[in-house]
Amino acid sequence: MRLSALLETTGLGLSLVSGRDEPDPVLRWVVTTDLLDPGRYLAGGELVLTGLVWRQDAADSETFVRCLAEAGVSALGAGDPDRDELPPDLVRACLRHRIPLLHVPAALSFAELTEHVVRRLSSGRVSDISAVLDRHRRLVAGVTAGAGLGPVLRLVGHDLGMPCWVLTPAGRVVAGSHPLPEGAARPLARGFLTAKRMPYVPPGAERYSVLAVDEQSTPRVADWFLAFEGAWQDWSPERRALASELAAVVALERARLDDRLTPEGRTAQELVGLVLSGGRPDDFLPRLRATGLLSERGYVAVSATARGDLRPGELRVVVKEILHPMCAVPAVGVAGGGGGAGDEIIALLPAPGPGGAGEGAAGTDVTAVVREAVRDLAPGLGSGGLTAGVSGVVPVEGLLGAVEEARHARRMAEDRPQPDAVVGHDELATHLLLLASVPDDVRRVFRARLLDPLHDYDRAHRADLVGTLEAFLRVSGSWTRCAEILHVHVNTLRYRIQRIEELTGRDLSGLEDRVDFFLALRLG
């Protein structure tokens, strides 16, 4: 029980002598003593009652109160049947050690006061135990029925008086017993990401305690967490047990909602794989429709990688959370489909429209949202950090170009000194913007006309005309430098270039044909 509740009890006649400016402490038990040093018999949190028999002079007050402070008692109640007021030296010692001091009137015996406190504490424990047992049965029933987290959290918040919420590390409220006050989510999320131990009271959100759903999750950036109103230090053992039990319930619900196990999630992975393999737009449409992503505004692609502490599968969860403000269910897939810790994540989402996070220049706004989210999540990303690239808006015919643009932006981000960099399409070179806007079928035809004859020749003759072409263009047509790079004689290089020109009907001494070959290689 709280000290304030004891003071407000009618008929006891207790008065607070010192400690009005101190926090309202919790009384966990009551102990009566007349020892000058009772520390060995105290465990912390007690209301200590004393008749001052130990006091021979003013110095004894300092000794006695210091022992109480070192033991962590919650308050001191003192009374002397021979005087109406408590000794000033005792008051000063309590003020110095910040221990609330109560005056116990002569008419109130310590035995009567102890009985009252113990009765209140015992009834509270019995009430908590019965409530926990009842809530346990109803929590299990709620999860079994698939009712979701909302009814479960309202049950805990309203019936047991423990208002609570489930949040993501990005500060998104998944469910709650009632709406979370505005401005509370962000400090709660940051406190969760930076806490060394759980439960934890975050700075800037001292009204709340946060608790990990998965205590073994390190780093926590892909986890959910619970926030409870009030300080966890005030909870009884039964309420702490209920909080842990609720965390287990939330973990089960989170696993149930993992979209990798759903048809929609598998369709999203298929869509990403189809785009990466150069599929046709006609094949994209059914999957876009099945995942609810069909859009007339166009699409944006995001490429992301993480280095360091994230476990396999966690980056996918993080990317989905980052994009949630713009698209609740983006198409998120793993490049290559492996799902390993170092894999690249590709996400496709409709371009945000008017009224959303991406009003106006949608690609730029998506970049800003991603950048802010990565910055907020940085404390939980571990030592390696996360890098991401964001494409501009493209039609469905340009999805492959958008992915390539996002990948190039992400590679630029990886070259930056900060571990959590995000690069948008507006920072890319002009020819990449041009390539991204070209429909995929046009890209395939353009690339095939120029490069397929070379690939066929290389396969048939075990030659390296494509590699020679790349090296030649990389050194801007310098015969000497290109021959040095390829470790061949200049005459051999001239023969290869002549063969390329014969197979393709192009002239590599002209700028226009060189540009065409350069773009074709970039499209590949």
Side-chain angles (χ1 to χ4, degrees), residues 221-418:
V221 71
D223 197 12
W224 285 357
F225 69 96
L226 277 161
F228 292 90
E229 194 173 275
W232 64 272
Q233 295 92 335
D234 298 344
W235 296 347
S236 65
E238 290 77 24
R239 290 185 177 232
R240 294 191 190 192
L242 178 63
S244 297
E245 190 174 352
L246 182 57
V249 169
V250 173
L252 288 173
E253 183 69 3
R254 179 171 174 265
R256 187 181 71 82
L257 295 176
D258 187 345
D259 75 338
R260 286 175 295 183
L261 309 176
T262 67
E264 293 81 7
R266 291 193 291 270
T267 301
Q269 176 66 57
E270 290 173 4
L271 172 62
V272 171
L274 193 61
V275 172
L276 290 172
S277 64
R280 298 183 178 278
D282 289 346
D283 298 326
F284 302 159
L285 295 175
R287 290 168 174 82
L288 288 168
R289 189 176 293 109
T291 53
L293 297 177
L294 202 59
S295 170
E296 296 180 355
R297 296 190 301 271
Y299 300 88
V300 175
V302 176
S303 168
T305 57
R307 297 166 292 190
D309 303 333
L310 290 183
R311 296 176 294 185
E314 290 187 333
L315 179 58
R316 183 179 182 278
V317 176
V318 174
V319 170
K320 284 188 62 180
E321 188 58 36
I322 287 172
L323 300 179
H324 192 277
M326 296 166 292
C327 181
V329 190
V332 178
V334 182
D343 278 330
E344 175 194 15
I345 299 297
I346 299 294
L348 305 172
L349 66 153
E359 184 175 355
T364 302
D365 290 329
V366 173
T367 303
V369 172
V370 172
R371 185 174 288 126
E372 182 179 6
V374 171
R375 185 170 58 247
D376 288 344
L377 293 172
L381 286 169
S383 57
L386 181 152
T387 51
V390 183
S391 77
V393 178
V394 298
V396 67
E397 296 84 4
L399 280 176
L400 179 58
V403 170
E404 291 178 357
E405 183 180 300
R407 283 176 146 177
H408 185 74
R410 189 254 308 154
R411 286 191 287 270
M412 284 182 61
E414 289 175 346
D415 291 335
R416 298 199 170 170
Q418 62 268 37

Side-chain angles (χ1 to χ4, degrees), residues 441-452:
D441 54 347
V442 176
R443 296 155 67 93
R444 280 192 296 269
V445 171
F446 182 78
R447 185 173 62 236
R449 283 181 179 175
L450 285 172
L451 299 183
D452 279 4

